[in-house]
Amino acid sequence: MPVITYRDALNQAHREEMQRDDRVFLMGEEVAVYQGAYKVSKGLLQEFGEMRVVDTPITELGFAGVGVGAAMVGLRPVIEFMTWNFALLALDQVVNAAAKMLYMSGGQYKMPIVFRGPNGAALQLSAQHSQAWESWLAHIPGLKVVAPGTPYDAKGLLKSAIRDDNPVIVLEGEMLYNTKGEVPDEDYVVPIGKAEVKREGDHCTIVTHGKMILVALRAAEELEKQGIRVDVVDLRTIRPMDVEAITASVRKTNRAVVLEEGWEVCGVGAQVVDYIQRECFDDLDAPVVRVHQADVPMPYAKNLERAAKPDAAKTIAAVKKVMYLE
């Protein structure tokens, strides 16, 4: 299979779905002439024109609302936020309009809309531009939330999201756009709601999602050198979560570490732990351990930012803790 970047995989997904269905259009800040802040929409304006690749003012609430209205009348908008940190003002449209329209209309209005953009921390973007949004958004009934960690999953999940008749949140890792992986030329989708075991092992399970999959795989590689084999379960979808995949792995390994980019309190990892203790309590040989961001706003200084973020070393220490090796 061709090896391409995460950015190009998302670009292919847009292009293929816009070619397949003329109701699909992209709207957001700098998506047209500038070709996207992260160049995800490169070449789309030239191919599809300004009616289907729409530059907007800096008004997230406004263009999110336009997208909701377009979805109500049968179009299939993809709304790009330059970063999910900028989407805070748009949450009224995402949470109170898109997520609830099918329910409040008694099933009269489908809501085939995608809200996508970079999520989480990059490098020295400080407290206001470094937040991981998955736990905020996955809390809301009516939204589906996906967090692809590889180019293959990025393309397949975005295509599934665009074809879905419900609002789908696509959280793209801010540090993933230049990462590379194998992506098929042929048309394919990754089903929403299905996790994947990215690496097989029998000593411990690591459950993770988004860009933390790369951290988990680095940790797993180092642990294998020490004779410790771990299952790495990539959730891929946060809501609806693939509980069956989580529990199948934990029942095999009898130990679990949950790795996430966000903060500890009310995080996605807390929900994963709840599923594990409900479904696998008698299978556990040790309490579940969570690895997450420090409970502080993201620092700007490099050394403090590094200390605040979850990483492979912290993940390795957590695995050894549940194995009673530390």
Side-chain angles (χ1 to χ4, degrees):
M1 287 188 287
V3 175
I4 64 173
T5 64
Y6 189 98
R7 168 190 296 109
D8 288 340
L10 292 166
N11 180 271
Q12 285 185 9
H14 279 104
R15 176 170 282 105
E16 290 174 13
E17 293 306 300
M18 292 176 78
Q19 291 170 343
R20 189 184 66 84
D21 188 340
D22 62 11
R23 297 172 298 171
V24 178
F25 71 96
L26 173 65
M27 180 165 55
E29 296 157 358
E30 298 185 347
V31 300
V33 175
Y34 190 67
Q35 303 185 100
Y38 293 91
K39 297 297 181 279
V40 170
S41 52
K42 184 177 180 179
L44 297 184
L45 174 64
Q46 290 75 15
E47 181 170 351
F48 299 103
E50 62 185 13
M51 293 295 289
R52 296 184 65 196
V53 186
V54 184
D55 273 333
T56 68
I58 303 174
T59 171
E60 284 81 6
L61 177 65
F63 64 77
V66 170
V68 170
M72 290 175 67
V73 297
L75 299 179
R76 306 188 79 87
V78 179
I79 304 301
E80 177 178 306
F81 296 123
M82 193 178 291
T83 162
W84 273 97
N85 294 281
F86 297 164
L88 185 60
L89 293 173
L91 283 188
D92 182 48
Q93 289 296 335
V94 177
V95 171
N96 279 329
K100 297 180 175 66
M101 190 58 65
L102 180 68
Y103 169 74
M104 294 184 70
S105 70
Q108 295 180 81
Y109 288 106
K110 295 179 180 179
M111 188 50 57
I113 187 170
V114 175
F115 299 100
R116 50 156 293 267
N119 173 61
L123 296 175
Q124 289 190 280
L125 294 184
S126 195
Q128 293 179 327
H129 292 174
S130 301
Q131 296 168 106
W133 280 79
E134 46 266 54
S135 62
W136 300 50
L137 294 158
H139 188 62
I140 308 301
L143 296 179
K144 298 182 180 182
V145 181
V146 303
T150 66
Y152 179 93
D153 291 339
K155 181 176 179 179
L157 282 169
L158 180 54
K159 287 169 72 71
S160 287
I162 293 171
R163 297 180 190 188
D164 202 295
D165 283 336
N166 301 282
V168 183
I169 307 294
V170 180
L171 300 171
E172 301 156 12
E174 186 122 5
M175 296 294 290
L176 290 179
Y177 289 112
N178 285 327
T179 60
K180 293 183 178 181
E182 293 184 337
V183 177
D185 283 329
E186 65 268 17
D187 181 47
Y188 74 96
V189 296
V190 171
I192 293 172
K194 295 295 292 182
E196 182 181 48
V197 177
K198 288 290 199 288
R199 187 183 179 111
E200 295 274 359
D202 52 10
H203 289 146
C204 180
T205 295
I206 300 176
V207 182
T208 191
H209 64 273
K211 69 185 175 195
M212 288 296 104
I213 187 64
L214 301 183
V215 173
L217 291 172
R218 282 198 296 271
E221 185 175 352
E222 182 59 35
L223 284 164
E224 187 161 25
K225 295 175 185 176
Q226 302 174 39
I228 301 169
R229 300 179 301 276
V230 298
D231 246 19
V232 178
V233 179
D234 182 1
L235 292 174
R236 301 198 293 191
T237 301
I238 308 304
R239 185 179 182 123
M241 196 176 289
D242 190 349
V243 180
E244 184 177 338
I246 298 168
T247 56
S249 178
V250 174
R251 287 182 180 127
K252 178 176 71 170
T253 67
N254 309 114
R255 294 175 173 85
V257 167
V258 183
L259 169 63
E260 63 187 310
E261 185 180 4
W263 292 306
E264 176 184 19
V265 177
C266 302
V268 170
Q271 184 62 57
V272 175
V273 173
D274 179 57
Y275 285 136
I276 291 172
Q277 65 86 20
R278 271 193 271 167
E279 303 293 332
C280 302
F281 184 81
D282 291 332
D283 299 288
L284 290 172
D285 289 340
V288 181
V289 173
R290 292 175 62 194
V291 181
H292 46 75
Q293 187 188 142
D295 193 22
V296 296
M298 183 62 72
Y300 177 74
K302 282 185 179 180
N303 59 329
L304 296 178
E305 181 186 53
R306 188 160 49 251
K309 290 179 177 179
D311 59 20
K314 295 170 186 174
T315 306
I316 290 169
V319 171
K320 290 183 176 180
K321 182 176 181 179
V322 300
M323 296 185 66
Y324 300 111
L325 298 175
E326 286 191 353

